[in-house]
């Protein structure tokens, strides 16, 4: 299934698919709603309400919701329906273990096959640096995830790219799950440029070392083991609403 580039640079847009079915459209909308905070972590998935907001029947909504249960974005509670998943502090390290597996393999493929990556990653890094000049935690987080999605996409492996989309959503859920609210580093780590430079020189060990340092820093920050200056978004007030789905497009 081909990936559709995000037309507006918003990472949530990478969830769009070519020639989608109604279930595909609902799944994409729910993913984007969780990613943006429109469906907050821990909140119940009210079938009747959400089906009405999306303009769809409950059958395809249930099928879409089950896809997200399989991806870990929704959690089934016996006798109590579904809720948006919460990733607690003790799940952070394991999440980044999976991210290392996917992103490190992407690095190896890029270097082994001498795939072009630097130009796209430089553009993504410029977006991240620009976002970091504004006090917009979600915007910085979007740009950071877009950088990592670009890295994995450069490996030209559809399976790795799809896996990274799922991990991007889970990373956002983990950040939303923090007790102190959503927060991102206030400054851009030099590991981003180090990663790009290493890939440009086909230096797999150097690129992997930069990625490892970046992930170690992220885990330490998200688990409270390292205190760094952050841009914070507390409780997300008036989140974006769910968009009505035009089933004629399916």
């Amino acid at each position: 299934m081909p990936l559709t580039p995000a037309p507006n640079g918003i990472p949530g847009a990478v969830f769009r698919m070519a020639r989608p079915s109604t279930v595909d459209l609902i799944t994409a909308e729910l993913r984007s709603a969780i990613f943006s905070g429109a469906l907050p972590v821990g909140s119940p998935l009210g079938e009747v309400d959400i089906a009405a907001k999306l303009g769809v029947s409950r059958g395809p909504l249930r099928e879409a919701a089950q896809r997200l249960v399989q991806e870990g974005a929704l959690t089934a509670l016996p006798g109590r329906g579904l809720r948006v998943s919460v990733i607690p502090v003790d799940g952070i390290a394991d999440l980044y273990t999976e991210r290392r597996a996917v992103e490190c393999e992407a690095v190896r493929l890029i270097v082994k096959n001498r795939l072009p990556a630097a130009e796209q990653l430089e553009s993504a890094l410029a977006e991240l640096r620009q976002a970091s000049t504004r006090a917009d935690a979600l915007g910085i987080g979007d740009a950071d995830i877009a950088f990592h999605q670009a890295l994995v996409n450069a490996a030209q492996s559809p399976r790795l790219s799809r896996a990274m989309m799922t991990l991007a959503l889970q990373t956002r859920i983990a950040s939303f799950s923090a007790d102190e609210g959503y927060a991102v580093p206030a400054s851009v780590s030099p590991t981003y440029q180090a990663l790009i430079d290493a890939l440009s020189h086909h230096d797999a060990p150097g690129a992997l070392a930069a990625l490892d340092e970046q992930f170690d820093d992220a885990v330490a920050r998200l688990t409270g083991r390292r205190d760094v200056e952050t841009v914070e978004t507390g409780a997300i007030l008036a989140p974006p609403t769910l968009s009505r789905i035009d089933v004629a497009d399916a």
Side-chain angles (χ1 to χ4, degrees):
M1 187 176 297
L3 301 174
T4 303
N8 55 5
I10 303 296
V14 300
F15 298 131
R16 307 292 180 189
M17 292 170 283
R19 295 183 181 179
S21 67
T22 299
V23 174
D24 292 332
L25 288 169
I26 297 170
T27 304
E29 187 62 31
L30 292 178
R31 284 196 190 107
S32 294
I34 295 169
F35 189 88
S36 69
L39 290 176
V41 294
S43 64
L45 192 74
E47 274 189 11
V48 175
D49 180 53
I50 290 179
K53 288 179 178 177
L54 296 179
V56 298
S57 63
R58 294 167 66 182
L61 174 61
R62 287 172 182 162
E63 186 176 342
Q66 286 306 312
R67 289 187 186 182
L68 294 180
V69 169
Q70 293 172 3
E71 294 178 12
L74 293 175
T75 299
L77 302 175
R80 293 159 56 193
L82 300 173
R83 70 169 187 177
V84 179
S85 295
V86 174
I87 298 179
V89 170
D90 60 9
I92 297 294
D94 195 41
L95 169 59
Y96 274 84
T97 294
E98 189 173 1
R99 281 193 58 176
R100 286 177 203 267
V102 170
E103 296 189 52
C104 288
E105 182 59 23
V107 164
R108 294 187 187 98
L109 288 173
I110 291 167
V111 172
K112 176 183 177 181
N113 299 321
R114 293 184 174 263
L115 298 171
E119 183 177 352
Q120 187 175 3
L121 290 177
E122 288 283 9
S123 177
L125 179 55
E127 291 288 339
L128 176 57
R129 286 173 172 154
Q130 180 60 34
S132 295
T133 65
R134 303 184 293 269
D136 175 9
L138 289 176
I140 295 170
D142 286 350
D144 178 75
I145 289 176
F147 178 93
H148 288 277
Q149 187 72 56
L151 170 67
V152 176
N153 289 351
Q156 298 181 15
S157 166
R159 288 182 180 274
L160 284 182
S161 289
R162 285 195 292 270
M164 185 61 209
M165 290 178 191
T166 298
L167 290 169
L169 182 58
Q170 291 184 0
T171 299
R172 177 56 64 86
I173 289 171
S175 297
F176 277 150
S177 299
D179 291 339
E180 64 275 14
Y182 186 84
V184 295
S187 60
V188 179
S189 167
T191 57
Y192 290 85
Q193 189 63 59
L195 172 61
I196 296 172
D197 292 344
L199 289 176
S200 297
H201 292 91
H202 312 296
D203 174 12
L208 292 172
L211 203 55
D212 271 338
E213 182 180 347
Q214 190 177 133
F215 285 165
D216 287 345
D217 289 345
V219 172
R221 177 178 59 82
L222 290 169
T223 57
R225 292 188 288 107
R226 185 170 303 166
D227 187 22
V228 299
E229 183 181 359
T230 60
V231 177
E232 300 177 0
T233 300
I236 300 176
L237 303 177
T241 58
L242 291 168
S243 299
R244 194 173 182 84
I245 290 173
D246 184 356
V247 295
D249 291 339

